[in-house]
């Protein structure tokens, strides 16, 4: 049931999308929400970053807004192999050759931007940045000299590199939408706009490489001397390169100050296009070695069954579904002085409902915390699935008792199915969640099955939330309201209301699959209720920051590994032939993702 209400009475309006008229779903005071004692626990890690203050720097706001593109580059097969040190030298040589072609265009673009800038300080800053690119070219030349061959001349420019360099030089030459060619620009200000646009197209490259360098550098062992690409990593993680990236961003901010809103929109489009071209550049590098990502790359639809399982509340949603049902119940309930028609199911007044929900919430929260504490061993134990299963049987009994109290209270009587569906249509889902499921469902050749396992009291809410976004082929495993002529009786058909129910449904689904095909299961969840499924799946991915999940998992020997570092380690083992079975359930290792973008990049790639 996961009954937790927040103490804040002003929380629920954020859970609905506004209708096209931009009117909120309801104007009544919202009820408390349910499930987490930490009010920030309902937000994904990326959500806090997505709220950009108005005074935020332009370049920084773009970087945050287009985080998805940086994640796709980070999880590219090329980046994973390079970070792990397992990248084949021929691939790296090809990459260096392509990057030399690109850097030469980059240096020329800086030269053109310097000509367009009418401010001496800006000219000097651009000149310094160009010198940094020339130093970068020297590093690349040192690689070539070590190899004793001219890989640059031996490798023709590929289509991705050519597309990127042509875009960059066209921008620096003033060939931007609604702009004249630089030779025909009438005023110095129009030329300055060219400099700003050019920086808009170049800044994301600098920031992305600074980001990749830092991410890779974190994974180097302190005394690691054998990593073949250590020099590359140290260059892009160095203080000097990080400073160059910051300087580029500051210069973009400065050049953008006098621009209009329309001109700033052009810069944003150029920035976003550059980020997409970076993704294409990384994915175009030819690899002759097997890689563990994207996961679907190693998936053979003719021989394998890819099984994607996901929780719903706070895994897919921003707010727990019980909060939505609470809001519907309170908003649509009669006032205390209203007479109810004898033909309708008798309901509490809105005031009575609010009070009853509050009491149920308080009781649930207190008893949930006590139950969690009671199932924890006094000391950490080694991971054992059966031991964990037995402990979570106690939590399952608690969840069922709490659900019984909800039914007995009568708070769910009288909800209209149409109101529930309207709420589902406006439900806010986590950033990237829908696009992930859309891409899977649209790619029929993947032969992938998607199952949503949820404690949600009303499966119609889940079904509507996904179908309103065009995702109709999900298998929903949740509880269902009993209705009389589309009005809930207050009773629920229970199917999934505890960790034990979830793992039973998970096992039944796998059992029902054809045994003739190799199955690969992925489970995505956020709470203790998902823990058994997470550790039983071949790949368990935790999204969010549930403290109770971490506490219970850790005490029972479960390890929580950040997804990208975990994949780099796996890629290294895979490259060395030390991992005959890449993914194996019940290992006691779970991967943590900060957003659905990370999950999308790992499973589906670009």
């Amino acid at each position: 049931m996961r009954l937790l209400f927040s103490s804040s009475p002003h929380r629920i309006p954020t859970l609905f999308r506004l209708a096209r008229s931009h009117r909120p779903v309801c104007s009544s005071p919202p009820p408390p929400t349910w499930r987490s004692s930490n009010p920030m626990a309902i937000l994904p890690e990326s959500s806090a970053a997505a709220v950009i203050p108005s005074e935020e720097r332009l370049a920084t706001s773009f970087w945050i807004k287009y985080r998805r593109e940086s994640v796709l580059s980070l999880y590219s097969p090329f980046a994973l192999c390079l970070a792990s040190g397992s990248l084949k030298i021929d691939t790296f040589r090809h990459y260096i050759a392509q990057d030399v072609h690109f850097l030469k265009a980059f240096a020329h673009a800086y030269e053109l931007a310097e000509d367009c800038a009418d401010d001496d300080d800006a000219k000097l800053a651009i000149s310094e940045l160009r010198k940094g690119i020339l130093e970068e070219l020297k590093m690349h030349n040192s690689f070539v000299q070590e190899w004793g061959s001219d890989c640059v001349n031996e490798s023709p420019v590929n289509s991705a590199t050519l597309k990127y360099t042509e875009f960059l030089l066209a921008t620096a030459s003033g060939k931007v939408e609604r702009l004249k060619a630089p030779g025909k620009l009438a005023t110095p200000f129009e030329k300055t706009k060219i400099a700003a646009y050019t920086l808009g197209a170049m800044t994301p490259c600098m920031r992305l490489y600074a980001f990749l360098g830092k991410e890779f550098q974190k994974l180097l062992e302190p005394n690691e001397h054998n990593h073949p690409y250590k020099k590359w990593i140290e260059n892009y993680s160095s203080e000097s390169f990080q400073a160059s990236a910051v300087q580029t961003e500051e210069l973009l901010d400065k050049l953008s100050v006098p621009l209009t809103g329309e001109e700033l929109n052009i810069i944003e489009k150029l920035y976003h296009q550059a980020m997409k071209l970076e993704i294409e550049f990384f994915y175009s590098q030819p690899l002759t070695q097997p890689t563990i990502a994207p996961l679907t790359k190693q998936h053979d639809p003719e021989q394998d069954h890819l099984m994607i399982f996901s929780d719903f509340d706070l895994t897919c949603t921003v707010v727990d579904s019980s909060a939505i049902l609470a809001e519907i119940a309170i908003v649509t309930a009669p006032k205390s002085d209203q007479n109810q028609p004898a033909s309708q199911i008798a309901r509490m007044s809105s005031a009575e409902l609010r009070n009853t929900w509050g009491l149920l919430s308080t009781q649930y929260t207190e008893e949930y915390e006590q139950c969690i504490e009671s199932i924890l061993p006094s000391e950490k134990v080694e991971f054992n699935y059966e031991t964990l299963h037995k402990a979570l049987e106690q939590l399952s009994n608690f969840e069922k008792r709490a659900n019984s109290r909800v039914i007995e209270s009568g708070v769910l009587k009288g909800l209209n199915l149409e109101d529930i569906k309207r709420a589902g249509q406006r439900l806010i889902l986590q950033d990237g969640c829908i696009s992930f499921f859309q891409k899977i469902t649209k790619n029929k050749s993947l032969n992938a099955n998607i199952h949503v396992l949820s404690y949600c009291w009303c499966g119609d809410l889940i079904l509507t939330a996904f179908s309103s976004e065009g995702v109709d082929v999900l298998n929903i495993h949740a509880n269902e309201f009993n209705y009389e002529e589309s009005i809930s009786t207050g009773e629920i058909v229970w199917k999934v209301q505890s960790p034990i129910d979830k793992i039973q449904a998970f096992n039944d689904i796998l059992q029902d699959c054809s045994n003739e095909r190799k199955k690969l299961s992925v489970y995505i969840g956020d709470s203790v209720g998902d823990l058994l499924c997470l550790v039983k799946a071949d790949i368990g991915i935790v999204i969010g920051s549930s403290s109770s999940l971490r506490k219970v998992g850790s005490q029972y020997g479960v390890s929580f590994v950040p997804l990208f570092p975990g994949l780099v380690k796996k890629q290294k083992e895979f490259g060395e032939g030390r991992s005959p079975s890449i993914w194996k359930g019940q290992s006691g290792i779970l991967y943590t993702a900060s957003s659905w973008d990370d999950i999308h990049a790992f499973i589906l790639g670009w």
Side-chain angles (χ1 to χ4, degrees):
M1 178 172 78
R2 301 191 299 176
L3 267 177
L4 179 75
F5 286 106
S6 158
S7 59
S8 168
H10 300 295
R11 208 176 165 105
I12 299 304
T14 60
L15 44 114
F16 294 122
R17 289 194 178 93
L18 299 182
R20 287 186 180 177
S21 62
H22 299 292
R23 291 177 296 180
V25 174
C26 62
S27 56
S28 302
T33 62
W34 191 271
R35 181 175 183 285
S36 170
S37 56
N38 175 6
M40 288 302 291
I42 65 169
L43 295 175
E45 291 178 23
S46 59
S47 292
V51 180
I52 304 168
S54 58
E55 68 273 17
E56 186 68 83
R57 288 176 9 187
L58 187 72
T60 304
S61 69
F62 290 164
W63 175 251
I64 294 170
K65 185 172 182 178
Y66 298 114
R67 177 188 184 275
R68 179 176 184 272
E69 282 73 10
S70 65
V71 169
L72 286 169
S73 293
L74 178 67
Y75 283 82
S76 66
F78 172 80
L80 271 172
C81 290
L82 194 153
S84 71
S86 65
L87 184 69
K88 300 296 185 184
I89 190 63
D90 286 345
T91 302
F92 188 67
R93 285 174 176 169
H94 180 272
Y95 156 76
I96 288 296
Q98 298 305 310
D99 208 33
V100 167
H101 293 304
F102 172 74
L103 288 173
K104 288 178 178 178
F106 212 74
H108 185 42
Y110 269 139
E111 191 175 4
L112 294 173
E114 185 179 349
D115 288 340
C116 287
D118 66 346
D119 177 274
D120 288 342
D121 289 339
K123 284 181 176 291
L124 180 60
I126 294 172
S127 176
E128 289 299 317
L129 289 169
R130 183 171 178 272
K131 289 178 183 176
I133 297 301
L134 297 178
E135 287 299 316
E136 200 173 340
L137 276 167
K138 286 182 181 178
M139 180 190 73
H140 283 36
N141 287 333
S142 70
F143 287 128
V144 174
Q145 289 173 5
E146 287 177 18
W147 298 326
S149 63
D150 190 355
C151 63
V152 176
N153 290 325
E154 293 171 2
S155 299
V157 182
N158 68 22
S159 60
T161 305
L162 187 62
K163 189 186 297 185
Y164 202 160
T165 54
E166 287 181 345
F167 158 77
L168 194 60
L169 293 176
T171 302
S173 299
K175 298 174 184 176
V176 180
E177 185 182 1
R178 295 185 290 279
L179 275 184
K180 306 170 189 175
K184 300 177 182 178
L185 294 175
T187 66
F189 176 65
E190 285 184 303
K191 290 187 69 177
T192 302
K193 281 195 293 188
I194 295 291
Y197 292 156
T198 304
L199 265 292
M202 300 173 80
T203 299
C205 176
M206 295 292 289
R207 173 48 57 201
L208 180 62
Y209 270 74
F211 165 71
L212 295 177
K214 280 294 185 184
E215 291 299 308
F216 296 173
Q217 191 266 339
K218 292 175 189 174
L219 305 179
L220 288 176
E221 298 294 334
N223 298 316
E224 185 167 3
H225 301 295
N226 296 326
H227 196 296
Y229 307 113
K230 186 177 181 181
K231 181 178 177 181
W232 187 97
I233 294 172
E234 287 178 340
N235 176 72
Y236 290 111
S237 63
S238 67
E239 290 185 10
S240 60
F241 191 85
Q242 299 294 317
S244 292
V246 171
Q247 188 179 4
T248 309
E249 291 173 327
E250 290 176 343
L251 184 57
L252 173 60
D253 293 336
K254 178 181 178 180
L255 293 172
S256 302
V257 169
L259 302 187
T260 65
E262 182 181 3
E263 290 159 351
L264 293 177
N265 286 337
I266 293 174
I267 289 181
E268 180 174 352
K269 289 178 182 178
L270 292 168
Y271 189 104
H272 191 201
Q273 179 65 12
M275 288 293 283
K276 290 188 287 187
L277 289 170
E278 284 286 2
I279 297 171
E280 190 170 349
F281 179 77
F282 281 114
Y283 279 84
S284 71
Q285 303 309 314
L287 271 74
T288 58
Q289 62 195 100
T291 59
I292 60 169
L295 189 66
T296 51
K297 186 178 181 180
Q298 301 301 322
H299 170 68
D300 182 356
E302 298 297 324
Q303 303 292 328
D304 306 336
H305 235 134
L306 179 60
M307 311 289 291
I308 306 290
F309 295 85
S310 177
D311 175 46
F312 183 67
D313 288 321
L314 304 188
T315 296
C316 295
T317 68
V318 172
V319 176
D320 196 278
S321 63
S322 54
I324 301 165
L325 297 171
E327 181 175 14
I328 297 170
I330 292 172
V331 168
T332 61
K335 306 297 181 186
S336 55
D337 57 352
Q338 284 180 321
N339 293 322
Q340 300 182 47
S343 60
Q344 289 186 3
I345 294 174
R347 299 186 66 186
M348 296 182 195
S349 69
S350 56
E352 289 175 311
L353 267 173
R354 187 180 298 280
N355 183 57
T356 304
W357 276 100
L359 292 173
L360 287 169
S361 170
T362 300
Q363 183 176 3
Y364 178 89
T365 302
E366 292 175 354
E367 293 185 6
Y368 177 83
E369 292 173 355
Q370 292 168 7
C371 184
I372 291 295
E373 291 300 323
S374 71
I375 66 175
L376 293 176
S378 56
E379 295 181 357
K380 286 186 177 182
V381 298
E382 288 188 10
F383 173 72
N384 180 280
Y385 176 79
E386 298 302 329
T387 303
L388 179 61
H389 190 286
K390 189 169 184 62
L392 290 179
E393 289 174 6
Q394 298 177 53
L395 181 61
S396 294
N397 293 333
F398 159 76
E399 294 284 8
K400 291 179 180 180
R401 289 194 303 271
N403 280 332
S404 294
R405 289 197 296 267
V406 173
I407 300 303
E408 291 166 5
S409 72
V411 294
L412 298 177
K413 286 183 180 179
L415 276 71
N416 190 305
L417 178 59
E418 291 307 310
D419 289 334
I420 292 170
K421 288 183 176 180
R422 278 193 290 271
Q425 290 168 358
R426 293 162 173 80
L427 183 62
I428 294 180
L429 300 181
Q430 302 269 16
D431 288 344
C433 172
I434 283 296
S435 61
F436 171 75
F437 288 119
Q438 283 176 337
K439 187 165 184 179
I440 294 178
T441 55
K442 288 178 180 178
N443 189 348
K444 304 300 181 184
S445 64
L446 271 182
N447 189 29
N449 293 86
I450 304 174
H451 296 267
V452 177
L453 275 59
S454 174
Y455 286 177
C456 180
W457 293 329
C458 182
D460 289 307
L461 186 72
I462 301 175
L463 188 63
T464 308
F466 282 112
S467 63
S468 65
E469 298 285 355
V471 182
D472 298 311
V473 290
L474 304 184
N475 300 287
I476 309 296
H477 309 268
N479 308 297
E480 299 291 348
F481 278 176
N482 255 325
Y483 298 101
E484 288 183 3
E485 297 181 354
S486 298
I487 303 299
S488 68
T489 65
E491 297 294 324
I492 292 178
V493 179
W494 295 112
K495 298 178 182 178
V496 183
Q497 57 177 324
S498 71
I500 302 304
D501 289 347
K502 271 198 173 183
I503 190 60
Q504 185 63 55
F506 177 86
N507 289 333
D508 288 347
I509 293 165
L510 290 179
Q511 187 66 34
D512 289 343
C513 276
S514 170
N515 290 323
E516 297 176 1
R517 292 185 175 185
K518 178 183 175 184
K519 292 186 284 284
L520 179 65
S521 59
V522 180
Y523 190 97
I524 305 158
D526 76 294
S527 72
V528 176
D530 300 308
L531 190 50
L532 289 174
C533 296
L534 284 164
V535 297
K536 189 71 178 289
D538 295 312
I539 305 170
I541 302 176
V542 176
I543 191 167
S545 55
S546 168
S547 58
S548 56
L549 170 61
R550 303 272 182 152
K551 183 188 294 185
V552 173
S554 296
Q555 285 297 103
Y556 281 94
V558 175
S559 300
F560 295 88
V561 179
L563 182 57
F564 180 71
L567 294 181
V568 170
K569 182 179 178 182
K570 278 276 186 185
Q571 183 63 50
K572 187 173 184 178
E573 293 172 352
F574 193 37
E576 295 172 350
R578 292 193 286 115
S579 183
S581 178
I582 307 174
W583 305 111
K584 187 178 181 182
Q586 291 186 220
S587 64
I589 298 174
L590 299 181
Y591 297 94
T592 60
S594 61
S595 73
W596 278 92
D597 292 337
D598 298 75
I599 297 170
H600 185 126
F602 163 45
I603 295 177
L604 300 174
W606 181 38

